[in-house]
Amino acid sequence: MPDRQPKDDVPETAAQRRARRAQFLRDLMEARELRDRVQPRRARAARMRQQMRMRTFRW
């Protein structure tokens, strides 16, 4: 597993961490969209399950 800190052991700044997190979230959304296009039936079932969870959720 790669080391999370840069090689010179300088801790990353909050801005660097946010940028890295934003990139990760963009990649994750892209992967989900691709999976939804490739497996439409599974994606539809997942949406239905999510809707059911939201309907039964109590605030």
Side-chain angles (χ1 to χ4, degrees):
M1 184 146 182
D3 200 18
R4 291 185 178 222
Q5 296 292 333
K7 289 178 178 44
D8 52 14
D9 289 331
V10 176
E12 68 180 355
T13 64
Q16 289 170 328
R17 181 183 167 279
R18 283 193 303 272
R20 194 166 46 85
R21 182 175 185 272
Q23 181 62 48
F24 169 77
L25 292 174
R26 280 192 298 272
D27 292 345
L28 184 63
M29 280 301 290
E30 183 181 337
R32 284 181 178 157
E33 289 169 2
L34 176 62
R35 188 182 63 204
D36 290 351
R37 283 196 305 271
V38 173
Q39 301 175 331
R41 185 179 297 171
R42 185 174 290 178
R44 181 175 186 271
R47 278 195 309 274
M48 294 296 182
R49 283 193 302 274
Q50 177 65 16
Q51 288 174 356
M52 187 60 70
R53 277 196 300 268
M54 293 309 288
R55 266 187 230 127
T56 58
F57 184 75
R58 297 275 174 128
W59 296 98

Short mmCIF file of all heavy atoms in Angstrom, two decimals:
data_model
loop_
_atom_site.label_atom_id
_atom_site.label_comp_id
_atom_site.label_asym_id
_atom_site.label_seq_id
_atom_site.Cartn_x
_atom_site.Cartn_y
_atom_site.Cartn_z
N MET A 1 0.85 -1.18 0.00
CA MET A 1 0.00 0.00 0.00
C MET A 1 0.89 1.24 0.00
O MET A 1 1.83 1.33 0.78
CB MET A 1 -0.89 -0.03 1.24
CG MET A 1 -1.86 1.08 1.31
SD MET A 1 -3.34 0.44 2.10
CE MET A 1 -4.33 1.86 2.00
N PRO A 2 0.60 2.20 -0.88
CA PRO A 2 1.48 3.36 -0.95
C PRO A 2 1.40 4.20 0.31
O PRO A 2 0.39 4.26 0.99
CB PRO A 2 0.96 4.13 -2.16
CG PRO A 2 -0.42 3.64 -2.40
CD PRO A 2 -0.47 2.24 -1.86
N ASP A 3 2.49 4.87 0.58
CA ASP A 3 2.57 5.74 1.74
C ASP A 3 1.70 6.97 1.50
O ASP A 3 1.71 7.54 0.42
CB ASP A 3 4.03 6.14 1.96
CG ASP A 3 4.30 6.62 3.37
OD1 ASP A 3 3.48 6.35 4.25
OD2 ASP A 3 5.32 7.27 3.57
N ARG A 4 0.92 7.40 2.47
CA ARG A 4 0.01 8.53 2.28
C ARG A 4 0.74 9.86 2.33
O ARG A 4 0.30 10.83 1.76
CB ARG A 4 -1.09 8.51 3.33
CG ARG A 4 -2.01 7.37 3.11
CD ARG A 4 -3.16 7.43 4.06
NE ARG A 4 -4.06 6.33 3.76
CZ ARG A 4 -5.35 6.42 3.74
NH1 ARG A 4 -5.92 7.55 4.03
NH2 ARG A 4 -6.09 5.39 3.44
N GLN A 5 1.84 9.94 3.07
CA GLN A 5 2.57 11.19 3.19
C GLN A 5 3.52 11.35 2.00
O GLN A 5 4.03 10.37 1.46
CB GLN A 5 3.40 11.19 4.48
CG GLN A 5 2.58 11.14 5.74
CD GLN A 5 1.79 12.42 5.96
OE1 GLN A 5 2.18 13.48 5.50
NE2 GLN A 5 0.66 12.30 6.64
N PRO A 6 3.78 12.59 1.57
CA PRO A 6 4.81 12.79 0.55
C PRO A 6 6.16 12.28 1.03
O PRO A 6 6.38 12.11 2.23
CB PRO A 6 4.84 14.30 0.36
CG PRO A 6 3.53 14.79 0.89
CD PRO A 6 3.12 13.81 1.96
N LYS A 7 7.07 12.08 0.11
CA LYS A 7 8.35 11.45 0.46
C LYS A 7 9.19 12.27 1.44
O LYS A 7 9.97 11.73 2.20
CB LYS A 7 9.15 11.20 -0.81
CG LYS A 7 8.54 10.10 -1.64
CD LYS A 7 9.32 9.90 -2.91
CE LYS A 7 8.79 8.77 -3.76
NZ LYS A 7 7.36 8.70 -3.90
N ASP A 8 9.02 13.60 1.47
CA ASP A 8 9.83 14.41 2.38
C ASP A 8 9.17 14.59 3.75
O ASP A 8 9.57 15.44 4.53
CB ASP A 8 10.15 15.77 1.75
CG ASP A 8 8.89 16.48 1.25
OD1 ASP A 8 7.79 16.05 1.62
OD2 ASP A 8 9.03 17.45 0.49
N ASP A 9 8.15 13.79 4.05
CA ASP A 9 7.50 13.75 5.36
C ASP A 9 6.85 15.07 5.77
O ASP A 9 6.70 15.35 6.96
CB ASP A 9 8.47 13.30 6.46
CG ASP A 9 8.81 11.82 6.32
OD1 ASP A 9 7.95 11.08 5.81
OD2 ASP A 9 9.92 11.43 6.70
N VAL A 10 6.46 15.89 4.80
CA VAL A 10 5.73 17.12 5.10
C VAL A 10 4.25 16.78 5.11
O VAL A 10 3.73 16.22 4.15
CB VAL A 10 6.01 18.21 4.04
CG1 VAL A 10 5.17 19.45 4.30
CG2 VAL A 10 7.49 18.54 4.02
N PRO A 11 3.53 17.05 6.21
CA PRO A 11 2.09 16.72 6.23
C PRO A 11 1.35 17.54 5.19
O PRO A 11 1.69 18.70 4.92
CB PRO A 11 1.65 17.09 7.64
CG PRO A 11 2.75 17.89 8.23
CD PRO A 11 3.98 17.65 7.44
N GLU A 12 0.34 16.90 4.57
CA GLU A 12 -0.40 17.61 3.53
C GLU A 12 -1.29 18.68 4.15
O GLU A 12 -1.75 18.55 5.28
CB GLU A 12 -1.22 16.64 2.70
CG GLU A 12 -2.37 15.99 3.43
CD GLU A 12 -3.13 15.04 2.54
OE1 GLU A 12 -2.85 14.94 1.35
OE2 GLU A 12 -4.04 14.38 3.07
N THR A 13 -1.54 19.71 3.38
CA THR A 13 -2.39 20.80 3.87
C THR A 13 -3.84 20.40 3.71
O THR A 13 -4.17 19.43 3.02
CB THR A 13 -2.13 22.09 3.08
OG1 THR A 13 -2.51 21.86 1.72
CG2 THR A 13 -0.67 22.51 3.14
N ALA A 14 -4.71 21.16 4.37
CA ALA A 14 -6.14 20.89 4.27
C ALA A 14 -6.61 21.05 2.83
O ALA A 14 -7.46 20.29 2.35
CB ALA A 14 -6.91 21.83 5.20
N ALA A 15 -6.07 22.02 2.12
CA ALA A 15 -6.46 22.24 0.72
C ALA A 15 -6.06 21.04 -0.15
O ALA A 15 -6.83 20.62 -1.02
CB ALA A 15 -5.82 23.52 0.19
N GLN A 16 -4.87 20.49 0.09
CA GLN A 16 -4.44 19.32 -0.67
C GLN A 16 -5.34 18.13 -0.37
O GLN A 16 -5.70 17.37 -1.27
CB GLN A 16 -2.99 18.97 -0.33
CG GLN A 16 -1.98 19.95 -0.86
CD GLN A 16 -0.60 19.70 -0.30
OE1 GLN A 16 -0.44 19.25 0.85
NE2 GLN A 16 0.42 19.99 -1.09
N ARG A 17 -5.69 17.98 0.88
CA ARG A 17 -6.56 16.87 1.27
C ARG A 17 -7.93 17.02 0.62
O ARG A 17 -8.48 16.04 0.11
CB ARG A 17 -6.71 16.83 2.79
CG ARG A 17 -7.57 15.71 3.28
CD ARG A 17 -7.74 15.76 4.80
NE ARG A 17 -8.80 14.87 5.20
CZ ARG A 17 -10.10 15.17 5.14
NH1 ARG A 17 -10.50 16.34 4.70
NH2 ARG A 17 -11.01 14.29 5.51
N ARG A 18 -8.48 18.25 0.63
CA ARG A 18 -9.79 18.48 -0.01
C ARG A 18 -9.73 18.21 -1.50
O ARG A 18 -10.66 17.62 -2.07
CB ARG A 18 -10.27 19.90 0.26
CG ARG A 18 -10.82 20.09 1.67
CD ARG A 18 -11.57 21.40 1.79
NE ARG A 18 -10.77 22.55 1.43
CZ ARG A 18 -9.98 23.22 2.27
NH1 ARG A 18 -9.91 22.86 3.54
NH2 ARG A 18 -9.28 24.26 1.86
N ALA A 19 -8.64 18.62 -2.15
CA ALA A 19 -8.50 18.40 -3.59
C ALA A 19 -8.42 16.90 -3.89
O ALA A 19 -9.04 16.41 -4.84
CB ALA A 19 -7.26 19.11 -4.12
N ARG A 20 -7.66 16.18 -3.07
CA ARG A 20 -7.54 14.72 -3.26
C ARG A 20 -8.89 14.04 -3.03
O ARG A 20 -9.29 13.16 -3.78
CB ARG A 20 -6.49 14.18 -2.29
CG ARG A 20 -6.02 12.78 -2.59
CD ARG A 20 -4.76 12.44 -1.80
NE ARG A 20 -4.81 12.80 -0.41
CZ ARG A 20 -5.35 12.04 0.55
NH1 ARG A 20 -5.88 10.89 0.26
NH2 ARG A 20 -5.33 12.44 1.80
N ARG A 21 -9.63 14.49 -2.02
CA ARG A 21 -10.95 13.93 -1.73
C ARG A 21 -11.94 14.24 -2.85
O ARG A 21 -12.72 13.37 -3.27
CB ARG A 21 -11.46 14.49 -0.41
CG ARG A 21 -12.79 13.94 0.03
CD ARG A 21 -13.16 14.47 1.41
NE ARG A 21 -14.37 13.85 1.89
CZ ARG A 21 -15.59 14.33 1.64
NH1 ARG A 21 -15.74 15.43 0.94
NH2 ARG A 21 -16.65 13.72 2.10
N ALA A 22 -11.90 15.46 -3.38
CA ALA A 22 -12.79 15.84 -4.47
C ALA A 22 -12.52 14.97 -5.70
O ALA A 22 -13.46 14.52 -6.37
CB ALA A 22 -12.61 17.31 -4.81
N GLN A 23 -11.24 14.72 -5.98
CA GLN A 23 -10.90 13.87 -7.13
C GLN A 23 -11.42 12.45 -6.90
O GLN A 23 -11.97 11.83 -7.82
CB GLN A 23 -9.38 13.86 -7.35
CG GLN A 23 -8.95 13.02 -8.52
CD GLN A 23 -9.52 13.52 -9.83
OE1 GLN A 23 -9.45 14.71 -10.12
NE2 GLN A 23 -10.09 12.63 -10.62
N PHE A 24 -11.25 11.95 -5.70
CA PHE A 24 -11.74 10.60 -5.38
C PHE A 24 -13.26 10.52 -5.58
O PHE A 24 -13.77 9.57 -6.17
CB PHE A 24 -11.38 10.24 -3.93
CG PHE A 24 -12.06 9.01 -3.45
CD1 PHE A 24 -11.62 7.77 -3.84
CD2 PHE A 24 -13.16 9.09 -2.61
CE1 PHE A 24 -12.27 6.61 -3.40
CE2 PHE A 24 -13.81 7.96 -2.18
CZ PHE A 24 -13.36 6.71 -2.57
N LEU A 25 -13.98 11.54 -5.09
CA LEU A 25 -15.44 11.52 -5.22
C LEU A 25 -15.88 11.62 -6.68
O LEU A 25 -16.86 10.98 -7.09
CB LEU A 25 -16.06 12.64 -4.39
CG LEU A 25 -15.92 12.46 -2.88
CD1 LEU A 25 -16.44 13.69 -2.15
CD2 LEU A 25 -16.64 11.21 -2.42
N ARG A 26 -15.14 12.41 -7.49
CA ARG A 26 -15.45 12.48 -8.93
C ARG A 26 -15.26 11.11 -9.58
O ARG A 26 -16.09 10.67 -10.38
CB ARG A 26 -14.57 13.52 -9.62
CG ARG A 26 -15.07 14.94 -9.44
CD ARG A 26 -14.36 15.89 -10.38
NE ARG A 26 -12.92 15.96 -10.15
CZ ARG A 26 -12.33 16.79 -9.29
NH1 ARG A 26 -13.06 17.63 -8.58
NH2 ARG A 26 -11.03 16.79 -9.15
N ASP A 27 -14.14 10.45 -9.25
CA ASP A 27 -13.87 9.11 -9.81
C ASP A 27 -14.95 8.13 -9.37
O ASP A 27 -15.38 7.28 -10.16
CB ASP A 27 -12.50 8.61 -9.36
CG ASP A 27 -11.36 9.40 -9.97
OD1 ASP A 27 -11.61 10.15 -10.95
OD2 ASP A 27 -10.22 9.28 -9.47
N LEU A 28 -15.38 8.21 -8.12
CA LEU A 28 -16.41 7.31 -7.61
C LEU A 28 -17.73 7.50 -8.35
O LEU A 28 -18.37 6.53 -8.75
CB LEU A 28 -16.59 7.54 -6.10
CG LEU A 28 -17.56 6.63 -5.38
CD1 LEU A 28 -17.08 5.19 -5.44
CD2 LEU A 28 -17.70 7.07 -3.94
N MET A 29 -18.13 8.76 -8.55
CA MET A 29 -19.37 9.02 -9.30
C MET A 29 -19.28 8.51 -10.73
O MET A 29 -20.23 7.95 -11.26
CB MET A 29 -19.67 10.53 -9.30
CG MET A 29 -20.29 11.03 -8.04
SD MET A 29 -21.86 10.23 -7.65
CE MET A 29 -22.87 10.93 -8.93
N GLU A 30 -18.12 8.70 -11.35
CA GLU A 30 -17.93 8.22 -12.72
C GLU A 30 -18.05 6.70 -12.78
O GLU A 30 -18.70 6.15 -13.68
CB GLU A 30 -16.56 8.67 -13.22
CG GLU A 30 -16.27 8.30 -14.66
CD GLU A 30 -14.90 8.75 -15.10
OE1 GLU A 30 -14.34 9.69 -14.50
OE2 GLU A 30 -14.38 8.15 -16.05
N ALA A 31 -17.47 6.03 -11.81
CA ALA A 31 -17.55 4.57 -11.77
C ALA A 31 -18.99 4.10 -11.56
O ALA A 31 -19.43 3.14 -12.19
CB ALA A 31 -16.65 4.03 -10.65
N ARG A 32 -19.73 4.80 -10.69
CA ARG A 32 -21.13 4.43 -10.47
C ARG A 32 -21.97 4.63 -11.72
O ARG A 32 -22.83 3.82 -12.06
CB ARG A 32 -21.71 5.25 -9.32
CG ARG A 32 -21.26 4.77 -7.98
CD ARG A 32 -21.86 5.59 -6.87
NE ARG A 32 -21.44 5.07 -5.57
CZ ARG A 32 -21.44 5.78 -4.47
NH1 ARG A 32 -21.84 7.03 -4.49
NH2 ARG A 32 -21.04 5.25 -3.35
N GLU A 33 -21.74 5.76 -12.42
CA GLU A 33 -22.48 6.02 -13.65
C GLU A 33 -22.19 4.97 -14.70
O GLU A 33 -23.09 4.51 -15.40
CB GLU A 33 -22.16 7.42 -14.17
CG GLU A 33 -22.74 8.52 -13.30
CD GLU A 33 -22.19 9.89 -13.65
OE1 GLU A 33 -21.38 10.00 -14.60
OE2 GLU A 33 -22.59 10.85 -12.98
N LEU A 34 -20.93 4.58 -14.81
CA LEU A 34 -20.56 3.53 -15.77
C LEU A 34 -21.23 2.22 -15.41
O LEU A 34 -21.80 1.54 -16.27
CB LEU A 34 -19.04 3.37 -15.79
CG LEU A 34 -18.51 2.24 -16.67
CD1 LEU A 34 -18.88 2.49 -18.13
CD2 LEU A 34 -17.01 2.10 -16.52
N ARG A 35 -21.21 1.87 -14.14
CA ARG A 35 -21.84 0.63 -13.70
C ARG A 35 -23.34 0.66 -13.97
O ARG A 35 -23.92 -0.34 -14.41
CB ARG A 35 -21.58 0.40 -12.21
CG ARG A 35 -22.05 -0.96 -11.72
CD ARG A 35 -21.83 -1.12 -10.25
NE ARG A 35 -22.62 -0.13 -9.54
CZ ARG A 35 -22.34 0.32 -8.32
NH1 ARG A 35 -21.30 -0.12 -7.68
NH2 ARG A 35 -23.12 1.20 -7.74
N ASP A 36 -23.97 1.82 -13.74
CA ASP A 36 -25.40 1.94 -14.00
C ASP A 36 -25.72 1.76 -15.48
O ASP A 36 -26.74 1.19 -15.84
CB ASP A 36 -25.93 3.28 -13.50
CG ASP A 36 -25.95 3.37 -11.99
OD1 ASP A 36 -25.72 2.32 -11.33
OD2 ASP A 36 -26.18 4.47 -11.47
N ARG A 37 -24.86 2.28 -16.35
CA ARG A 37 -25.09 2.10 -17.79
C ARG A 37 -24.90 0.66 -18.22
O ARG A 37 -25.60 0.17 -19.09
CB ARG A 37 -24.14 3.00 -18.60
CG ARG A 37 -24.55 4.44 -18.63
CD ARG A 37 -23.83 5.20 -19.72
NE ARG A 37 -22.38 5.10 -19.65
CZ ARG A 37 -21.59 5.91 -18.95
NH1 ARG A 37 -22.13 6.89 -18.25
NH2 ARG A 37 -20.30 5.75 -18.96
N VAL A 38 -23.94 -0.02 -17.60
CA VAL A 38 -23.63 -1.39 -17.98
C VAL A 38 -24.66 -2.37 -17.41
O VAL A 38 -25.00 -3.36 -18.05
CB VAL A 38 -22.20 -1.76 -17.52
CG1 VAL A 38 -21.91 -3.23 -17.74
CG2 VAL A 38 -21.19 -0.91 -18.25
N GLN A 39 -25.18 -2.08 -16.23
CA GLN A 39 -26.12 -2.99 -15.57
C GLN A 39 -27.41 -2.24 -15.21
O GLN A 39 -27.69 -1.97 -14.03
CB GLN A 39 -25.49 -3.56 -14.30
CG GLN A 39 -24.22 -4.33 -14.57
CD GLN A 39 -23.55 -4.77 -13.29
OE1 GLN A 39 -23.67 -4.13 -12.26
NE2 GLN A 39 -22.83 -5.87 -13.37
N PRO A 40 -28.24 -1.90 -16.22
CA PRO A 40 -29.42 -1.07 -15.94
C PRO A 40 -30.42 -1.73 -14.99
O PRO A 40 -31.06 -1.05 -14.19
CB PRO A 40 -30.03 -0.81 -17.31
CG PRO A 40 -29.43 -1.83 -18.21
CD PRO A 40 -28.11 -2.20 -17.64
N ARG A 41 -30.57 -3.05 -15.07
CA ARG A 41 -31.54 -3.70 -14.19
C ARG A 41 -31.11 -3.61 -12.74
O ARG A 41 -31.90 -3.31 -11.85
CB ARG A 41 -31.71 -5.17 -14.60
CG ARG A 41 -32.79 -5.87 -13.81
CD ARG A 41 -32.95 -7.31 -14.24
NE ARG A 41 -33.37 -7.39 -15.62
CZ ARG A 41 -33.43 -8.53 -16.31
NH1 ARG A 41 -33.09 -9.65 -15.74
NH2 ARG A 41 -33.82 -8.54 -17.55
N ARG A 42 -29.84 -3.85 -12.49
CA ARG A 42 -29.32 -3.77 -11.12
C ARG A 42 -29.40 -2.33 -10.61
O ARG A 42 -29.72 -2.09 -9.45
CB ARG A 42 -27.88 -4.26 -11.09
CG ARG A 42 -27.31 -4.32 -9.69
CD ARG A 42 -25.95 -4.94 -9.67
NE ARG A 42 -26.04 -6.36 -9.95
CZ ARG A 42 -24.98 -7.16 -10.03
NH1 ARG A 42 -23.78 -6.69 -9.86
NH2 ARG A 42 -25.14 -8.44 -10.29
N ALA A 43 -29.12 -1.36 -11.49
CA ALA A 43 -29.19 0.05 -11.10
C ALA A 43 -30.63 0.43 -10.73
O ALA A 43 -30.86 1.14 -9.75
CB ALA A 43 -28.67 0.93 -12.23
N ARG A 44 -31.58 -0.05 -11.52
CA ARG A 44 -32.99 0.26 -11.23
C ARG A 44 -33.40 -0.35 -9.89
O ARG A 44 -34.08 0.30 -9.08
CB ARG A 44 -33.88 -0.27 -12.35
CG ARG A 44 -35.35 0.03 -12.14
CD ARG A 44 -36.17 -0.41 -13.35
NE ARG A 44 -37.55 0.00 -13.21
CZ ARG A 44 -38.48 -0.74 -12.60
NH1 ARG A 44 -38.18 -1.92 -12.08
NH2 ARG A 44 -39.72 -0.30 -12.50
N ALA A 45 -32.99 -1.59 -9.65
CA ALA A 45 -33.31 -2.24 -8.37
C ALA A 45 -32.70 -1.46 -7.20
O ALA A 45 -33.33 -1.28 -6.16
CB ALA A 45 -32.81 -3.68 -8.38
N ALA A 46 -31.47 -0.98 -7.38
CA ALA A 46 -30.82 -0.21 -6.32
C ALA A 46 -31.57 1.10 -6.06
O ALA A 46 -31.73 1.51 -4.91
CB ALA A 46 -29.37 0.08 -6.69
N ARG A 47 -32.03 1.76 -7.13
CA ARG A 47 -32.81 2.99 -6.95
C ARG A 47 -34.11 2.70 -6.21
O ARG A 47 -34.51 3.47 -5.34
CB ARG A 47 -33.13 3.62 -8.31
CG ARG A 47 -32.01 4.45 -8.88
CD ARG A 47 -32.49 5.33 -10.01
NE ARG A 47 -33.23 4.64 -11.04
CZ ARG A 47 -32.71 4.00 -12.09
NH1 ARG A 47 -31.40 3.99 -12.25
NH2 ARG A 47 -33.48 3.40 -12.97
N MET A 48 -34.75 1.59 -6.55
CA MET A 48 -36.01 1.23 -5.86
C MET A 48 -35.76 0.97 -4.38
O MET A 48 -36.54 1.39 -3.52
CB MET A 48 -36.64 -0.01 -6.51
CG MET A 48 -37.10 0.22 -7.91
SD MET A 48 -38.41 1.43 -7.96
CE MET A 48 -38.79 1.43 -9.68
N ARG A 49 -34.68 0.27 -4.06
CA ARG A 49 -34.35 0.01 -2.66
C ARG A 49 -34.08 1.31 -1.91
O ARG A 49 -34.53 1.50 -0.78
CB ARG A 49 -33.14 -0.92 -2.55
CG ARG A 49 -33.45 -2.37 -2.82
CD ARG A 49 -32.30 -3.28 -2.40
NE ARG A 49 -31.06 -2.94 -3.07
CZ ARG A 49 -30.69 -3.40 -4.27
NH1 ARG A 49 -31.47 -4.24 -4.93
NH2 ARG A 49 -29.55 -3.04 -4.80
N GLN A 50 -33.35 2.23 -2.57
CA GLN A 50 -33.06 3.51 -1.94
C GLN A 50 -34.35 4.29 -1.69
O GLN A 50 -34.53 4.89 -0.63
CB GLN A 50 -32.10 4.32 -2.82
CG GLN A 50 -31.79 5.70 -2.30
CD GLN A 50 -31.04 5.71 -0.99
OE1 GLN A 50 -30.47 4.71 -0.57
NE2 GLN A 50 -31.06 6.84 -0.31
N GLN A 51 -35.26 4.29 -2.67
CA GLN A 51 -36.53 4.98 -2.49
C GLN A 51 -37.33 4.38 -1.33
O GLN A 51 -37.95 5.11 -0.55
CB GLN A 51 -37.35 4.92 -3.78
CG GLN A 51 -36.81 5.80 -4.88
CD GLN A 51 -37.56 5.60 -6.18
OE1 GLN A 51 -38.45 4.76 -6.30
NE2 GLN A 51 -37.17 6.37 -7.19
N MET A 52 -37.32 3.07 -1.22
CA MET A 52 -38.03 2.42 -0.12
C MET A 52 -37.41 2.80 1.22
O MET A 52 -38.12 3.07 2.19
CB MET A 52 -38.01 0.90 -0.32
CG MET A 52 -38.86 0.16 0.68
SD MET A 52 -40.60 0.64 0.63
CE MET A 52 -41.09 -0.07 -0.93
N ARG A 53 -36.08 2.85 1.29
CA ARG A 53 -35.42 3.26 2.52
C ARG A 53 -35.82 4.68 2.89
O ARG A 53 -36.08 4.98 4.05
CB ARG A 53 -33.89 3.18 2.37
CG ARG A 53 -33.33 1.80 2.60
CD ARG A 53 -31.83 1.85 2.82
NE ARG A 53 -31.11 2.41 1.70
CZ ARG A 53 -30.60 1.70 0.68
NH1 ARG A 53 -30.75 0.41 0.64
NH2 ARG A 53 -29.95 2.30 -0.29
N MET A 54 -35.88 5.56 1.90
CA MET A 54 -36.21 6.95 2.18
C MET A 54 -37.68 7.08 2.60
O MET A 54 -38.00 7.91 3.44
CB MET A 54 -35.94 7.84 0.96
CG MET A 54 -34.46 7.94 0.63
SD MET A 54 -33.43 8.40 2.04
CE MET A 54 -33.90 10.11 2.21
N ARG A 55 -38.55 6.26 2.03
CA ARG A 55 -39.97 6.32 2.42
C ARG A 55 -40.19 5.86 3.86
O ARG A 55 -41.08 6.36 4.54
CB ARG A 55 -40.79 5.41 1.49
CG ARG A 55 -41.37 6.14 0.34
CD ARG A 55 -42.30 5.23 -0.44
NE ARG A 55 -41.92 5.32 -1.83
CZ ARG A 55 -41.63 4.30 -2.62
NH1 ARG A 55 -41.74 3.08 -2.18
NH2 ARG A 55 -41.28 4.51 -3.86
N THR A 56 -39.39 4.90 4.29
CA THR A 56 -39.61 4.34 5.62
C THR A 56 -38.76 5.01 6.69
O THR A 56 -38.85 4.68 7.87
CB THR A 56 -39.33 2.83 5.62
OG1 THR A 56 -37.98 2.60 5.21
CG2 THR A 56 -40.28 2.10 4.69
N PHE A 57 -37.91 5.96 6.27
CA PHE A 57 -37.03 6.64 7.24
C PHE A 57 -37.83 7.63 8.06
O PHE A 57 -38.65 8.37 7.53
CB PHE A 57 -35.90 7.36 6.49
CG PHE A 57 -34.92 8.00 7.40
CD1 PHE A 57 -33.98 7.25 8.08
CD2 PHE A 57 -34.94 9.37 7.59
CE1 PHE A 57 -33.06 7.84 8.93
CE2 PHE A 57 -34.02 9.97 8.43
CZ PHE A 57 -33.09 9.21 9.10
N ARG A 58 -37.61 7.63 9.38
CA ARG A 58 -38.29 8.58 10.28
C ARG A 58 -37.33 9.68 10.67
O ARG A 58 -36.24 9.41 11.14
CB ARG A 58 -38.75 7.86 11.57
CG ARG A 58 -39.74 6.77 11.35
CD ARG A 58 -41.13 7.37 11.31
NE ARG A 58 -42.10 6.35 10.95
CZ ARG A 58 -43.18 6.10 11.66
NH1 ARG A 58 -43.44 6.81 12.73
NH2 ARG A 58 -44.00 5.18 11.27
N TRP A 59 -37.72 10.92 10.50
CA TRP A 59 -36.91 12.05 10.95
C TRP A 59 -37.16 12.19 12.42
O TRP A 59 -36.67 12.67 13.23
CB TRP A 59 -37.29 13.34 10.20
CG TRP A 59 -36.99 13.24 8.76
CD1 TRP A 59 -37.87 12.94 7.77
CD2 TRP A 59 -35.72 13.42 8.12
NE1 TRP A 59 -37.24 12.92 6.55
CE2 TRP A 59 -35.91 13.21 6.74
CE3 TRP A 59 -34.46 13.71 8.57
CZ2 TRP A 59 -34.90 13.30 5.83
CZ3 TRP A 59 -33.44 13.80 7.67
CH2 TRP A 59 -33.65 13.61 6.31
#
